[in-house]
Amino acid sequence: MHNLEKDLREQFYTRVPFPIDQAEIQAAVDAFMVFLNEPEAIKQQIQLRICDSHRRGDVGYTHRDPDDSIYNDSKDYFHYHDLIIDRYPELLAQNEAVRNFVTKASPIWQAARAVGETAIHQLSQRYPELPARFQGDIPHIILRFIRYNWQESKQHLAKPHFDAGSCTLAVAESAQGLRIGKDEASLQLVQNAPNQSIFFLSSNFERLVNDNTFDPAWHDVIQLNHEHIGKPYARWAVVCFFEAQGMTAISREMTHTCQREK
């Protein structure tokens, strides 16, 4: 517990064990890439919300173009939640690519949930009410599979920001590029190690606990390997977002500025 708190205060993230090996994660990512080759009508069939009041309550596929308002990046991503298995049995039975992706994503979602809940439980020594805030019939846990598309003229694959939830688990990545700090000047490159993930706090945490002991992690993703020019994509990552029940997200404008809402 001491190391977790110390890490979150001093470097704004901490490394935590992750029980699924890289080969199994890679298999899920490969299934995600196959899913992305499906027709648009298939990719868009899974669209549901686990929380109508939170902008990070969506489950399903999204494509983002560089000219999309505040983000100015290019990526394809899928928000996975085990609720898909119950809500889309016919689609899973009929489509092999969707079924294969969901089958491989589910154990990673379950493992990420367990790892995140363990970290949250450790923080409950300081905030005893914390674990109960994450309990509910439908846990607000989103596992994001991301394919970052190459942008030849831009270094940033993801602009600097705070995440919209309460905490985040960076599960895996294909290449170094994630940077974490308190602000722009303190951003430092971080890389996942085998069987480890990166846990950090997000924009809603201090609102959740009504305390500003810990800063949320300001972070971005930069392109380091220019040999990827002309390749199908620049990088992939798997990230899990955790939110407490009943929370709403601060605005996109606020999560993309270091001036934090108090």
Side-chain angles (χ1 to χ4, degrees):
M1 174 61 184
H2 173 72
N3 288 339
L4 182 144
E5 287 201 1
K6 182 174 182 289
D7 284 351
L8 293 178
R9 279 197 300 266
E10 294 181 0
Q11 64 183 22
F12 315 105
Y13 70 89
T14 190
R15 296 186 183 276
V16 291
F18 196 77
I20 295 182
D21 63 31
Q22 186 66 27
E24 189 171 344
I25 295 172
Q26 184 66 61
V29 171
D30 291 344
F32 168 59
M33 298 298 183
V34 172
F35 168 83
L36 292 179
N37 290 329
E38 288 293 292
E40 199 70 18
I42 296 295
K43 290 188 290 190
Q44 293 289 351
Q45 278 197 46
I46 298 175
Q47 295 290 337
L48 58 91
R49 294 191 62 79
I50 59 172
C51 180
D52 289 333
S53 62
H54 199 293
R55 63 181 173 86
R56 190 51 72 234
D58 55 313
V59 174
Y61 166 74
T62 298
H63 172 75
R64 185 183 291 166
D65 285 317
D67 59 355
D68 281 353
S69 65
I70 193 172
Y71 295 110
N72 192 30
D73 57 17
S74 179
K75 66 180 66 168
D76 293 275
Y77 60 86
F78 189 95
H79 283 173
Y80 178 82
H81 192 288
D82 259 0
L83 194 61
I84 291 172
I85 297 170
D86 295 328
R87 294 287 180 89
Y88 293 91
E90 292 185 7
L91 175 62
L92 297 180
Q94 295 168 2
N95 188 286
E96 182 179 359
V98 178
R99 181 172 64 253
N100 189 43
F101 174 41
V102 168
T103 299
K104 289 179 168 58
S106 178
I108 301 174
W109 182 86
Q110 293 175 32
R113 177 182 182 180
V115 171
E117 287 177 346
T118 297
I120 290 166
H121 180 74
Q122 287 181 302
L123 286 167
S124 71
Q125 295 181 40
R126 179 181 291 271
Y127 307 112
E129 74 288 354
L130 197 60
R133 295 295 307 274
F134 288 85
Q135 300 302 313
D137 293 337
I138 300 176
H140 194 142
I141 301 172
I142 298 289
L143 183 67
R144 176 185 281 191
F145 289 81
I146 320 164
R147 181 178 72 182
Y148 296 91
N149 301 318
W150 174 255
Q151 297 177 79
E152 186 172 7
S153 63
K154 296 183 176 65
Q155 181 190 28
H156 278 111
L157 297 176
K159 294 173 64 177
H161 64 285
F162 299 119
D163 284 341
S166 288
C167 47
T168 299
L169 189 71
V171 174
E173 58 187 3
S174 62
Q176 191 175 25
L178 173 65
R179 301 191 303 176
I180 296 177
K182 179 179 180 179
D183 50 30
E184 201 78 18
S186 63
L187 287 172
Q188 297 289 328
L189 279 167
V190 180
Q191 188 169 26
N192 280 350
N195 297 111
Q196 288 190 325
S197 50
I198 305 299
F199 177 82
F200 56 88
L201 303 179
S202 304
S203 59
N204 262 352
F205 186 80
E206 66 182 24
R207 299 172 68 206
L208 173 63
V209 299
N210 194 29
D211 177 69
N212 62 1
T213 297
F214 301 101
D215 291 298
W218 182 249
H219 61 287
D220 65 2
V221 177
I222 59 172
Q223 176 64 38
L224 296 176
N225 188 353
H226 287 250
E227 293 179 0
H228 277 273
I229 295 176
K231 299 294 178 63
Y233 62 91
R235 183 181 183 271
W236 61 256
V238 181
V239 182
C240 195
F241 304 112
F242 297 81
E243 184 60 283
Q245 298 292 322
M247 297 291 288
T248 59
I250 64 175
S251 69
R252 289 180 175 90
E253 289 74 17
M254 287 300 300
T255 56
H256 284 71
T257 177
C258 273
Q259 299 300 315
R260 289 151 56 198
E261 188 177 77
K262 297 293 185 180

